[in-house]
Amino acid sequence: MRSVKLRMPTSMRPIAVMAGLLASLSSAVASGGIWCNLEDKSIKLSVEAGVTRGMGSPFFNFRGTLEILDPSVAEDLRKLAFSDKNLTQYWLDGKALKLNIYSERDNEKPHGYVDLVIETQTVDEGSYSGSYILDVYDTEGDTSGEGKQAKFSGAIDCGAE
């Protein structure tokens, strides 16, 4: 059996390259991102994620940092870095952006967690404004069995593209 090699004519190569570029652009258009940044009297927060279009708009590469400014909160719960595993719930559509971010102590210390809920509504296209509620719970040093709880809340602005 004889093998045949097909070659693309030189005049067709620019068209093939252009078709490849256009195909790659369609996947770039199929994703965007979200972000929220805040510095108020209680917290410093920065979160961001990529968002795909379609299929329920799943988030990817979620990351962020949180610093709680209240010194009464245990030091290991005051400064946190977030990743995909901390984004427990999210919602993004043309009307609202909502995030639930949860982090729990994962070491030998007594139980403690940080639970942050961000709820915003569309102000303009790609611009969201609303509020956050941050709950901190810590059983370290507690003898009452109740644990120590701290709550913080305030206004927040986020963006999406």
Side-chain angles (χ1 to χ4, degrees):
M1 177 161 257
R2 192 172 137 198
S3 120
V4 178
K5 288 187 177 179
L6 298 175
R7 295 190 131 213
M8 182 182 297
T10 308
S11 62
M12 292 293 290
R13 287 183 186 155
I15 294 170
V17 168
M18 186 59 99
L21 286 172
L22 287 174
S24 69
L25 284 177
S26 67
S27 61
V29 171
S31 64
I34 64 102
W35 59 92
C36 301
N37 295 298
L38 170 69
E39 188 170 336
D40 68 9
K41 64 182 169 79
S42 302
I43 69 170
K44 292 180 185 178
L45 173 71
S46 176
V47 295
E48 59 186 38
V51 181
T52 60
R53 303 289 183 230
M55 295 177 32
S57 297
F59 286 17
F60 61 92
N61 199 25
F62 177 78
R63 60 189 175 275
T65 58
L66 170 68
E67 181 180 355
I68 301 170
L69 303 175
D70 185 339
S72 71
V73 173
E75 190 172 335
D76 66 325
L77 295 175
R78 250 189 317 204
K79 289 188 179 184
L80 300 172
F82 299 127
S83 66
D84 288 318
K85 71 178 183 177
N86 301 110
L87 184 61
T88 57
Q89 295 181 33
Y90 60 88
W91 180 266
L92 174 64
D93 64 13
K95 298 176 185 174
L97 168 62
K98 298 179 182 186
L99 306 172
N100 189 351
I101 304 163
Y102 180 83
S103 182
E104 190 172 282
R105 276 194 183 122
D106 58 356
N107 54 28
E108 299 300 316
K109 287 189 165 190
H111 182 63
Y113 66 81
V114 171
D115 187 26
L116 174 64
V117 176
I118 297 172
E119 293 190 3
T120 64
Q121 300 294 316
T122 302
V123 177
D124 278 324
E125 184 177 341
S127 181
Y128 295 81
S129 187
S131 62
Y132 75 87
I133 298 174
L134 175 65
D135 285 318
V136 181
Y137 179 76
D138 188 6
T139 60
E140 185 173 45
D142 178 55
T143 56
S144 70
E146 297 292 318
K148 182 178 173 185
Q149 204 162 16
K151 271 190 184 260
F152 308 93
S153 61
I156 190 166
D157 294 318
C158 300
E161 58 181 10

Short mmCIF file of all heavy atoms in Angstrom, two decimals, residues 124-156:
data_model
loop_
_atom_site.label_atom_id
_atom_site.label_comp_id
_atom_site.label_asym_id
_atom_site.label_seq_id
_atom_site.Cartn_x
_atom_site.Cartn_y
_atom_site.Cartn_z
N ASP A 124 -25.03 48.81 37.60
CA ASP A 124 -24.84 49.02 36.17
C ASP A 124 -24.32 47.71 35.60
O ASP A 124 -23.93 46.81 36.36
CB ASP A 124 -23.79 50.11 35.90
CG ASP A 124 -24.36 51.52 35.99
OD1 ASP A 124 -25.52 51.72 35.59
OD2 ASP A 124 -23.64 52.41 36.48
N GLU A 125 -24.22 47.62 34.31
CA GLU A 125 -23.68 46.41 33.70
C GLU A 125 -22.27 46.14 34.24
O GLU A 125 -21.40 47.00 34.16
CB GLU A 125 -23.63 46.53 32.19
CG GLU A 125 -23.16 45.27 31.51
CD GLU A 125 -23.19 45.36 30.01
OE1 GLU A 125 -23.89 46.23 29.46
OE2 GLU A 125 -22.49 44.55 29.37
N GLY A 126 -22.09 44.99 34.84
CA GLY A 126 -20.79 44.61 35.38
C GLY A 126 -20.46 45.19 36.75
O GLY A 126 -19.40 44.94 37.30
N SER A 127 -21.36 45.97 37.32
CA SER A 127 -21.12 46.60 38.62
C SER A 127 -22.21 46.17 39.61
O SER A 127 -23.40 46.28 39.32
CB SER A 127 -21.14 48.12 38.45
OG SER A 127 -20.90 48.77 39.66
N TYR A 128 -21.77 45.68 40.77
CA TYR A 128 -22.68 45.16 41.78
C TYR A 128 -22.42 45.85 43.11
O TYR A 128 -21.28 46.10 43.46
CB TYR A 128 -22.48 43.65 41.95
CG TYR A 128 -22.84 42.85 40.71
CD1 TYR A 128 -21.95 42.74 39.66
CD2 TYR A 128 -24.07 42.23 40.61
CE1 TYR A 128 -22.27 42.02 38.52
CE2 TYR A 128 -24.41 41.51 39.48
CZ TYR A 128 -23.50 41.40 38.43
OH TYR A 128 -23.83 40.70 37.31
N SER A 129 -23.49 46.11 43.84
CA SER A 129 -23.37 46.76 45.14
C SER A 129 -24.31 46.07 46.12
O SER A 129 -25.41 45.69 45.76
CB SER A 129 -23.72 48.24 45.02
OG SER A 129 -23.46 48.91 46.22
N GLY A 130 -23.84 45.91 47.37
CA GLY A 130 -24.68 45.25 48.35
C GLY A 130 -24.02 45.22 49.72
O GLY A 130 -23.43 46.21 50.14
N SER A 131 -24.10 44.08 50.38
CA SER A 131 -23.61 43.99 51.75
C SER A 131 -22.91 42.66 51.98
O SER A 131 -23.06 41.71 51.23
CB SER A 131 -24.76 44.15 52.73
OG SER A 131 -25.70 43.10 52.55
N TYR A 132 -22.14 42.65 53.08
CA TYR A 132 -21.51 41.41 53.53
C TYR A 132 -21.87 41.19 54.99
O TYR A 132 -22.13 42.13 55.73
CB TYR A 132 -19.99 41.45 53.35
CG TYR A 132 -19.27 42.29 54.38
CD1 TYR A 132 -18.86 41.75 55.60
CD2 TYR A 132 -18.99 43.64 54.14
CE1 TYR A 132 -18.21 42.54 56.56
CE2 TYR A 132 -18.34 44.42 55.08
CZ TYR A 132 -17.95 43.87 56.28
OH TYR A 132 -17.32 44.64 57.22
N ILE A 133 -21.90 39.92 55.37
CA ILE A 133 -22.03 39.52 56.77
C ILE A 133 -20.94 38.50 57.03
O ILE A 133 -20.83 37.51 56.31
CB ILE A 133 -23.42 38.91 57.08
CG1 ILE A 133 -24.52 39.94 56.84
CG2 ILE A 133 -23.47 38.39 58.51
CD1 ILE A 133 -25.93 39.38 56.96
N LEU A 134 -20.14 38.76 58.04
CA LEU A 134 -19.04 37.87 58.41
C LEU A 134 -19.28 37.34 59.81
O LEU A 134 -19.42 38.11 60.75
CB LEU A 134 -17.71 38.64 58.36
CG LEU A 134 -16.47 37.90 58.83
CD1 LEU A 134 -16.16 36.71 57.93
CD2 LEU A 134 -15.28 38.85 58.89
N ASP A 135 -19.38 36.02 59.92
CA ASP A 135 -19.52 35.35 61.22
C ASP A 135 -18.23 34.62 61.53
O ASP A 135 -17.70 33.89 60.70
CB ASP A 135 -20.65 34.31 61.18
CG ASP A 135 -22.02 34.94 61.21
OD1 ASP A 135 -22.22 35.89 61.98
OD2 ASP A 135 -22.89 34.48 60.45
N VAL A 136 -17.74 34.81 62.76
CA VAL A 136 -16.55 34.12 63.24
C VAL A 136 -16.95 33.37 64.50
O VAL A 136 -17.57 33.95 65.40
CB VAL A 136 -15.41 35.11 63.55
CG1 VAL A 136 -14.18 34.36 64.02
CG2 VAL A 136 -15.10 36.00 62.36
N TYR A 137 -16.60 32.10 64.54
CA TYR A 137 -16.92 31.27 65.70
C TYR A 137 -15.65 30.58 66.16
O TYR A 137 -14.89 30.04 65.35
CB TYR A 137 -17.98 30.23 65.33
CG TYR A 137 -18.35 29.32 66.47
CD1 TYR A 137 -19.17 29.77 67.50
CD2 TYR A 137 -17.88 28.02 66.52
CE1 TYR A 137 -19.51 28.93 68.56
CE2 TYR A 137 -18.22 27.17 67.56
CZ TYR A 137 -19.03 27.63 68.57
OH TYR A 137 -19.36 26.82 69.62
N ASP A 138 -15.41 30.59 67.47
CA ASP A 138 -14.17 30.05 68.01
C ASP A 138 -14.44 29.40 69.36
O ASP A 138 -15.03 30.01 70.23
CB ASP A 138 -13.15 31.19 68.16
CG ASP A 138 -11.77 30.71 68.53
OD1 ASP A 138 -11.53 29.49 68.57
OD2 ASP A 138 -10.91 31.58 68.77
N THR A 139 -14.00 28.16 69.52
CA THR A 139 -14.15 27.47 70.80
C THR A 139 -12.84 27.42 71.59
O THR A 139 -12.83 26.91 72.70
CB THR A 139 -14.65 26.01 70.60
OG1 THR A 139 -13.70 25.30 69.82
CG2 THR A 139 -16.01 25.99 69.95
N GLU A 140 -11.78 27.98 71.04
CA GLU A 140 -10.49 27.96 71.73
C GLU A 140 -10.59 28.75 73.04
O GLU A 140 -11.05 29.88 73.07
CB GLU A 140 -9.39 28.55 70.85
CG GLU A 140 -8.02 28.44 71.47
CD GLU A 140 -6.93 28.88 70.52
OE1 GLU A 140 -7.10 29.93 69.87
OE2 GLU A 140 -5.93 28.18 70.44
N GLY A 141 -10.17 28.14 74.13
CA GLY A 141 -10.18 28.80 75.44
C GLY A 141 -11.56 28.91 76.07
O GLY A 141 -11.71 29.51 77.13
N ASP A 142 -12.58 28.35 75.43
CA ASP A 142 -13.94 28.46 75.95
C ASP A 142 -14.22 27.34 76.95
O ASP A 142 -13.99 26.17 76.67
CB ASP A 142 -14.94 28.39 74.79
CG ASP A 142 -16.37 28.44 75.26
OD1 ASP A 142 -16.72 29.40 75.97
OD2 ASP A 142 -17.12 27.50 74.95
N THR A 143 -14.71 27.70 78.09
CA THR A 143 -15.07 26.69 79.10
C THR A 143 -16.59 26.59 79.28
O THR A 143 -17.07 25.68 79.93
CB THR A 143 -14.43 27.05 80.46
OG1 THR A 143 -14.83 28.36 80.84
CG2 THR A 143 -12.92 26.95 80.37
N SER A 144 -17.33 27.50 78.65
CA SER A 144 -18.78 27.51 78.82
C SER A 144 -19.49 26.53 77.89
O SER A 144 -20.65 26.20 78.10
CB SER A 144 -19.33 28.93 78.56
OG SER A 144 -19.21 29.24 77.18
N GLY A 145 -18.80 26.10 76.85
CA GLY A 145 -19.44 25.23 75.86
C GLY A 145 -20.20 26.01 74.80
O GLY A 145 -20.75 25.44 73.87
N GLU A 146 -20.25 27.31 74.94
CA GLU A 146 -20.97 28.16 73.99
C GLU A 146 -20.08 28.63 72.83
O GLU A 146 -20.58 28.93 71.76
CB GLU A 146 -21.54 29.40 74.70
CG GLU A 146 -22.56 29.08 75.76
CD GLU A 146 -23.83 28.52 75.17
OE1 GLU A 146 -24.29 29.03 74.14
OE2 GLU A 146 -24.35 27.55 75.75
N GLY A 147 -18.80 28.74 73.06
CA GLY A 147 -17.91 29.29 72.05
C GLY A 147 -18.00 30.80 72.02
O GLY A 147 -18.90 31.41 72.59
N LYS A 148 -17.06 31.39 71.34
CA LYS A 148 -17.01 32.84 71.21
C LYS A 148 -17.41 33.19 69.78
O LYS A 148 -16.89 32.62 68.83
CB LYS A 148 -15.59 33.32 71.51
CG LYS A 148 -15.40 34.80 71.45
CD LYS A 148 -13.98 35.15 71.81
CE LYS A 148 -13.71 36.62 71.61
NZ LYS A 148 -12.31 36.95 71.85
N GLN A 149 -18.34 34.12 69.65
CA GLN A 149 -18.82 34.50 68.33
C GLN A 149 -18.62 35.99 68.10
O GLN A 149 -18.80 36.79 69.02
CB GLN A 149 -20.29 34.14 68.19
CG GLN A 149 -20.71 33.94 66.78
CD GLN A 149 -22.03 33.18 66.68
OE1 GLN A 149 -22.77 33.05 67.65
NE2 GLN A 149 -22.31 32.68 65.51
N ALA A 150 -18.24 36.33 66.88
CA ALA A 150 -18.11 37.73 66.48
C ALA A 150 -18.81 37.90 65.14
O ALA A 150 -18.73 37.02 64.29
CB ALA A 150 -16.65 38.13 66.37
N LYS A 151 -19.50 39.00 64.97
CA LYS A 151 -20.21 39.29 63.72
C LYS A 151 -19.79 40.66 63.22
O LYS A 151 -19.64 41.59 64.01
CB LYS A 151 -21.72 39.31 63.92
CG LYS A 151 -22.40 38.00 63.76
CD LYS A 151 -23.91 38.23 63.74
CE LYS A 151 -24.63 36.92 63.67
NZ LYS A 151 -25.10 36.55 62.40
N PHE A 152 -19.59 40.74 61.93
CA PHE A 152 -19.24 41.99 61.28
C PHE A 152 -20.10 42.12 60.03
O PHE A 152 -20.43 41.11 59.39
CB PHE A 152 -17.75 42.01 60.88
CG PHE A 152 -16.84 41.68 62.02
CD1 PHE A 152 -16.41 40.38 62.24
CD2 PHE A 152 -16.42 42.67 62.90
CE1 PHE A 152 -15.57 40.07 63.30
CE2 PHE A 152 -15.58 42.38 63.96
CZ PHE A 152 -15.15 41.07 64.15
N SER A 153 -20.45 43.34 59.67
CA SER A 153 -21.23 43.55 58.46
C SER A 153 -20.95 44.94 57.92
O SER A 153 -20.44 45.81 58.62
CB SER A 153 -22.74 43.37 58.75
OG SER A 153 -23.15 44.32 59.70
N GLY A 154 -21.30 45.11 56.65
CA GLY A 154 -21.09 46.40 56.03
C GLY A 154 -21.43 46.36 54.55
O GLY A 154 -21.92 45.35 54.03
N ALA A 155 -21.14 47.44 53.88
CA ALA A 155 -21.40 47.57 52.45
C ALA A 155 -20.21 47.06 51.65
O ALA A 155 -19.06 47.12 52.12
CB ALA A 155 -21.67 49.03 52.11
N ILE A 156 -20.48 46.56 50.44
CA ILE A 156 -19.42 46.07 49.57
C ILE A 156 -19.82 46.29 48.12
O ILE A 156 -21.01 46.28 47.77
CB ILE A 156 -19.14 44.57 49.84
CG1 ILE A 156 -17.88 44.13 49.12
CG2 ILE A 156 -20.33 43.70 49.46
CD1 ILE A 156 -17.33 42.80 49.58
#
